Amino acid sequence: RRRRAAAAAAAAPPPGEGAGSVGDDALGRRESVDSLCGEGAVLPGRGDLTTVTSEGYGEATLGTCERLVRLLMRLTECVPAMEGWGGGWNLDADATLLDIGSGYGKVVVHAKLLSRCRAAHGLECVRSRVEISNLTLQGLYGELDRKALDDDLLRGVSFCCADATREAVLRYTHIYAFDRVFSQYTLAALARLLQRSHFFVFVSSKGPRTWWRHGLSKVQPVAKMRFVTTGRERCTVFIYVNAQFVPGV
């Protein structure tokens, strides 16, 4: 037994060089990253996961955009339970819209043109999509006639490349997110942001239990509609209201 113990002690690595040491663990992770992603590849930090895990793309058809915007414009008329709720709920001239993950800007532009809302802003984490959105907006200005330009038809439309979840608070009456492609990291961060934000209406492809599970407890669904993408994918989008602003609650 003494000989076996002596042999085991002689074979053991010096302190700090064992298989469980920090140095070896880090080296093993580095070798794994290099083998999977190429030598010198850098993995995103936890703070970047809200964007890099949710860069998938999905675009609504023209007909879907129009149906959604027209529903938001007449929400208190279309939902019987909202009758008499007063202003703030409908997408009208006093409303402001934020599209989280705005892609090429289709929903933002259509919402502005149809509803004449005060402002329509798109946040997108992929820079090339924001560049295309801004080029499209410039092209629209070139196609408008003099009367439309004088009426400031596109005034208040803007696009920005940013991670929406890094915002301190969102101050828009209506928030839309085509979050079907959002990762769990992004959903959790977005839920925390929305919980501390001030909005009246939120549009999402995720069901209420998903949002409640992530901590967004103040939203209640009041309507839903079928959503069709240009890739012929179909899903359901839910229209939520902020229960903190519901009359009598």
Side-chain angles (χ1 to χ4, degrees):
R1 284 198 300 270
R2 286 195 297 270
R3 285 197 297 269
R4 285 197 296 270
E17 297 182 7
S21 69
V22 174
D24 279 357
D25 285 348
L27 180 60
R29 286 195 297 270
R30 180 68 263 169
E31 291 175 347
S32 297
V33 171
D34 288 345
S35 64
L36 291 172
C37 306
E39 186 174 354
V42 178
L43 293 182
R46 182 171 292 275
D48 300 320
L49 289 174
T50 52
T51 55
V52 298
T53 61
S54 300
E55 292 182 351
Y57 187 72
E59 183 181 23
T61 63
L62 176 60
T64 296
C65 279
E66 182 171 352
R67 287 195 302 275
L68 175 60
V69 172
R70 293 196 182 280
L71 172 59
L72 295 177
M73 291 169 61
R74 302 173 56 244
L75 191 59
T76 55
E77 299 176 37
C78 297
V79 180
M82 297 181 69
E83 184 178 357
W85 280 19
W89 303 100
N90 295 327
L91 189 65
D92 54 23
D94 294 323
T96 54
L97 172 78
L98 174 66
D99 182 356
I100 298 176
S102 55
Y104 299 138
K106 178 182 286 186
V107 171
V108 171
V109 172
H110 279 80
K112 177 63 177 179
L113 293 177
L114 285 173
S115 71
R116 303 293 183 94
C117 58
R118 181 157 50 91
H121 183 57
L123 281 178
E124 170 60 50
C125 67
V126 180
R127 187 171 299 278
S128 61
R129 296 173 189 166
V130 177
E131 293 172 352
I132 292 173
S133 299
N134 284 316
L135 286 173
T136 301
L137 182 59
Q138 293 173 19
L140 286 174
Y141 273 108
E143 294 181 8
L144 293 178
D145 57 28
R146 181 59 63 99
K147 184 178 184 303
L149 287 172
D150 292 340
D151 290 343
D152 287 331
L153 187 61
L154 292 173
R155 183 178 183 181
V157 176
S158 59
F159 300 97
C160 178
C161 182
D163 179 355
T165 64
R166 302 290 182 90
E167 299 292 320
V169 67
L170 301 176
R171 300 184 184 277
Y172 296 84
T173 60
H174 294 68
I175 298 176
Y176 164 79
F178 184 64
D179 45 21
R180 189 180 183 192
V181 298
F182 287 5
S183 70
Q184 293 301 310
Y185 290 105
T186 307
L187 291 174
L190 184 57
R192 291 191 295 271
L193 172 61
L194 291 172
Q195 184 67 17
R196 63 178 181 263
S197 295
H198 312 289
F199 60 90
F200 281 84
V201 177
F202 174 49
V203 183
S204 165
S205 67
K206 301 298 183 184
R209 286 183 176 150
T210 296
W211 288 115
W212 296 338
R213 185 174 67 248
H214 284 298
L216 182 55
S217 58
K218 67 181 183 181
V219 295
Q220 291 293 329
V222 295
K224 60 184 179 180
M225 62 167 280
R226 295 296 292 167
F227 192 97
V228 182
T229 71
T230 52
R232 297 184 180 180
E233 295 179 306
R234 299 175 185 273
C235 65
T236 299
V237 294
F238 296 85
I239 317 296
Y240 295 93
V241 296
N242 186 344
Q244 292 179 338
F245 296 147
V246 173
V249 174

